[in-house]
Amino acid sequence: MAINVVMPKLGMAMKEGTVSVWNKKVGDPVQKGELIASINSEKIEMEIESPAEGILLEIAVDEGKGVPPGTPIAYIGQPDEKVVSGAQEEAAASIVAEPEVPAPASPQVKETPSHVTISGEKVKISPVARKMAAEANLDIQTLAGTGPGGRITKEDVQKALENVSQQSRPEPPARKENETNTKADQASRPLTGMRKVIAERMHSSLQNSAQLTIYMKADITELKTLQAQSAASVKRRFGEKLTITDFIARATILALQVHPLMNSALIDDSIHERNNVHLGMAVALEKGLVVPVINDAEKLSLSQLSASIRELAKKARENQLGSEEMTGSTFTITNLGAYGVEHFTPILNPPEAGILGVGAAEDQPVYRRENLERRSILPISLTFDHRLVDGAPAAVFLKEIKGYLEEPFSMLV
């Protein structure tokens, strides 16, 4: 009996997983433990191993398709082994299909099971191939299957569509001078995985909150001096130097304890106040961004906080974060200073009340009393939910962070 390869559940909050890429084709031999596909869900990506040795009999979920956890995405067995019809029906039902809109003049092709009998003849066809054929109004009786046991595969349908397209393609009209084919320069792909989740959450955030951003500049000259003076001793004791980001995180945590409303959330017309600071630190990745969370950050020393930031950032870039390490934040920090950005307007990470944006520090001439001095100025911005926090208390909170950064020794006591 063929073995199901199912969509795994990557964390308690997972509702849907997407197949990013198939490493094997139908009919390919696979070994137990061999990587056969890559999947992603929300902000987690992982590779799928074959649960058994055999032949990849059928791919039930195409690349870019999303299905719930536990849905069969492929079947592995012996050559010419039949896939259990019930399992195929379950897989087909789990795939989210777009509405079928047949052409008015073409006969409508009704969906049939993977093994159907038409005019006394059994037709073997995979669920994905059946869906593609139905959408294109192809008669599956005219298709030649190249899969195990003559099964019609996705590739067979694609080949048939190419043949039909070539036969029915009219002569292209003569192109006018200076006329360009804009469609030739366009490419499209489905919005899936991490990018899809980010798109949905950011759009929802802007639609469901009243966001306002305010800006300040902090003089971090003394902070950079303290960082440089303590670098050698800190590295000798703890193995790593403290970064400006570590101090910014520490200042934010202390400010949140003084202004607990910025550490709260508005959920279903109720204000949820949090006693502990669960600090989210946005990390940019090649395919998007993630926000690992430092739980109970107020209980950590500066060196412990620094170690947690480094560890979570490393795990994020190596795709080793668990779903529990990316949920439950009460406030977030996002830093674009490394890219030369000054002020920007970060978008809230729902349901948080605020998010701190950090820009690039620059040396600027500044008058102090009657003297013109060279000072290091750091731009910071605060986006907050105006439904929960008014402008004045938000400004006081941001000024609190600014104060800690300008008097860094206050963060050490």
Side-chain angles (χ1 to χ4, degrees), residues 2 21 31 45 49 59 78 84 94 112 119 125 131 185 197 218 238 256 266 294 321 324 349-350 379-380 388:
V21 62
Q31 300 296 321
E45 295 190 16
E49 298 180 353
I59 292 177
Q78 299 307 310
V84 177
S94 300
T112 58
S119 301
I125 182 170
K131 176 178 177 290
D185 298 329
V197 173
F238 304 107
L256 287 170
L266 182 61
I294 303 171
L321 287 172
E324 68 282 355
N349 185 17
I380 53 178
L388 188 59

Side-chain angles (χ1 to χ4, degrees), residues 187-331:
S188 64
R189 55 190 173 90
L191 187 65
T192 61
M194 182 185 296
R195 190 74 261 156
K196 181 179 179 181
V197 173
I198 293 173
E200 291 174 348
R201 289 185 175 176
M202 294 299 95
H203 186 254
S204 175
S205 174
L206 289 171
Q207 281 193 320
N208 296 300
S209 60
Q211 299 190 25
L212 179 65
T213 305
I214 56 177
Y215 309 92
M216 286 187 184
K217 294 181 179 180
D219 186 339
I220 61 170
T221 307
E222 274 74 26
L223 174 57
K224 292 178 72 174
T225 301
L226 173 62
Q227 179 198 23
Q229 291 175 345
S230 63
S233 60
V234 170
K235 186 172 184 179
R236 187 168 53 250
R237 289 187 60 188
F238 304 107
E240 295 286 348
K241 299 178 182 178
L242 295 173
T243 68
I244 295 297
T245 298
D246 299 334
F247 285 101
I248 294 172
R250 177 65 174 170
T252 303
I253 294 165
L254 293 173
L256 287 170
Q257 291 180 287
V258 177
H259 304 274
L261 189 59
M262 291 302 307
N263 196 48
S264 61
L266 182 61
I267 304 174
D268 296 331
D269 295 327
S270 298
I271 299 175
H272 294 247
E273 299 179 349
R274 279 73 171 262
N275 297 322
N276 301 100
V277 177
H278 305 312
L279 187 65
M281 300 292 294
V283 178
L285 303 177
E286 182 180 352
K287 296 182 180 180
L289 63 89
V290 292
V291 184
V293 182
I294 303 171
N295 291 304
D296 301 324
E298 79 282 356
K299 299 178 182 179
L300 303 179
S301 65
L302 183 57
S303 60
Q304 291 171 330
L305 178 63
S306 176
S308 296
I309 293 173
R310 285 196 309 274
E311 179 186 0
L312 288 173
K314 182 174 183 291
K315 291 177 71 175
R317 295 187 179 100
E318 295 176 352
N319 194 30
Q320 298 297 319
L321 287 172
S323 59
E324 68 282 355
E325 294 176 300
M326 295 185 289
T327 56
S329 58
T330 59
F331 191 90

Side-chain angles (χ1 to χ4, degrees), residues 164-186:
V164 171
S165 176
Q166 290 174 358
Q167 293 172 5
S168 61
R169 186 179 300 162
E171 272 305 310
R175 179 172 295 183
K176 296 180 181 178
E177 189 177 355
N178 297 328
E179 182 182 359
T180 59
N181 187 352
T182 57
K183 290 186 177 180
D185 298 329
Q186 297 177 0

Side-chain angles (χ1 to χ4, degrees), residues 10-217:
L10 309 179
M12 296 299 294
M14 175 178 172
K15 296 180 180 179
E16 183 181 273
T18 302
V19 178
S20 304
V21 62
W22 283 105
N23 301 328
K24 295 288 185 178
K25 302 188 298 294
V26 172
D28 285 351
V30 295
Q31 300 296 321
K32 184 176 181 180
E34 186 177 3
L35 300 179
I36 60 173
S38 296
I39 65 166
N40 62 73
S41 170
E42 304 231 335
K43 298 183 178 181
I44 301 177
E45 295 190 16
M46 69 173 294
E47 294 179 312
I48 297 293
E49 298 180 353
S50 173
E53 179 180 351
I55 301 295
L56 183 57
L57 299 177
E58 184 174 309
I59 292 177
V61 178
D62 205 1
E63 292 179 0
K65 295 292 185 179
V67 293
T71 301
I73 61 175
Y75 300 91
I76 294 173
Q78 299 307 310
D80 298 326
E81 185 175 1
K82 294 183 178 180
V83 175
V84 177
S85 177
Q88 289 183 336
E89 288 298 326
E90 181 181 349
S94 300
I95 301 176
V96 180
E98 296 181 359
E100 181 177 318
V101 184
S106 302
Q108 185 175 2
V109 178
K110 296 182 179 180
E111 291 193 13
T112 58
S114 296
H115 295 80
V116 296
T117 302
I118 302 178
S119 301
E121 183 180 354
K122 180 176 289 187
V123 178
K124 298 179 180 179
I125 182 170
S126 72
V128 174
R130 185 181 67 242
K131 176 178 177 290
M132 291 174 61
E135 290 177 346
N137 293 313
L138 283 179
D139 186 354
I140 61 176
Q141 288 182 300
T142 65
L143 302 178
T146 60
R151 184 187 307 278
I152 299 171
T153 66
K154 176 185 71 173
E155 289 77 13
D156 297 329
V157 177
Q158 288 175 335
K159 185 176 180 180
L161 290 174
E162 290 174 1
N163 292 337
V164 171
S165 176
Q166 290 174 358
Q167 293 172 5
S168 61
R169 186 179 300 162
E171 272 305 310
R175 179 172 295 183
K176 296 180 181 178
E177 189 177 355
N178 297 328
E179 182 182 359
T180 59
N181 187 352
T182 57
K183 290 186 177 180
D185 298 329
Q186 297 177 0
S188 64
R189 55 190 173 90
L191 187 65
T192 61
M194 182 185 296
R195 190 74 261 156
K196 181 179 179 181
V197 173
I198 293 173
E200 291 174 348
R201 289 185 175 176
M202 294 299 95
H203 186 254
S204 175
S205 174
L206 289 171
Q207 281 193 320
N208 296 300
S209 60
Q211 299 190 25
L212 179 65
T213 305
I214 56 177
Y215 309 92
M216 286 187 184
K217 294 181 179 180

